[in-house]
Amino acid sequence: AYVVTDACIKCKYTDCVEVCPVDCFREGPNFLAIDPDECIDCSLCVAECPVGAIYPEDDVPKGQEAFIPLNAELARNWPSIVERIDPLPDHADWADVKDKLKYLER
Ligand code: SF4
Ligand code: F3S
């Protein structure tokens, strides 16, 4: 499955959800998760993300491995999102910030 990683937190551009053929994105307050049971590994979402937050499970950047089980866990509890919405108001301020996991809201 593909995995949403650190860069998405506090940005949540949601361009990714529009292209997913199997509607496997789930929405939390300041992050999206991919349901790994639904993802068909088409890779279409990768190029849509303005901050490059999406990776295949076997190519997640070093140090971000925790996002693999985290996507699975969060996807179980969050509702589906299939249409693009406005990014979070201060997305531009957070787009280049690293290590945002501590800001994740559930
Ligand atoms: Fe959806 Fe394809 Fe991205 Fe998986 S890789 S989340 S199926 S768009
Ligand atoms: Fe997040 Fe990128 Fe999608 S910021 S909401 S993974 S377009």
Side-chain angles (χ1 to χ4, degrees):
Y2 279 62
V3 176
V4 185
T5 64
D6 201 83
C8 180
I9 296 171
K10 280 188 163 282
C11 291
K12 208 170 87 169
Y13 289 100
T14 71
D15 304 67
C16 53
V17 309
E18 295 262 341
V19 299
C20 182
V22 292
D23 296 346
C24 56
F25 283 91
R26 307 286 179 261
E27 185 189 10
N30 64 3
F31 184 62
L32 293 195
I34 290 171
D35 184 337
D37 296 333
E38 302 288 331
C39 177
I40 57 170
D41 294 323
C42 74
S43 84
L44 285 175
C45 54
V46 173
E48 297 302 313
C49 179
V51 289
I54 306 174
Y55 292 89
E57 184 174 2
D58 57 8
D59 199 24
V60 165
K62 205 166 160 41
Q64 296 201 52
E65 296 85 354
F67 282 91
I68 299 169
L70 190 59
N71 273 243
E73 178 199 336
L74 296 171
R76 274 196 294 273
N77 298 317
W78 284 351
S80 180
I81 174 170
V82 297
E83 282 179 16
R84 191 180 178 284
I85 56 172
D86 287 340
L88 292 174
D90 49 357
H91 62 91
D93 296 337
W94 290 96
D96 295 324
V97 179
K98 310 293 179 206
D99 300 325
K100 297 187 282 187
L101 190 51
K102 54 184 169 291
Y103 303 114
L104 177 72
E105 296 170 36
R106 287 161 181 265

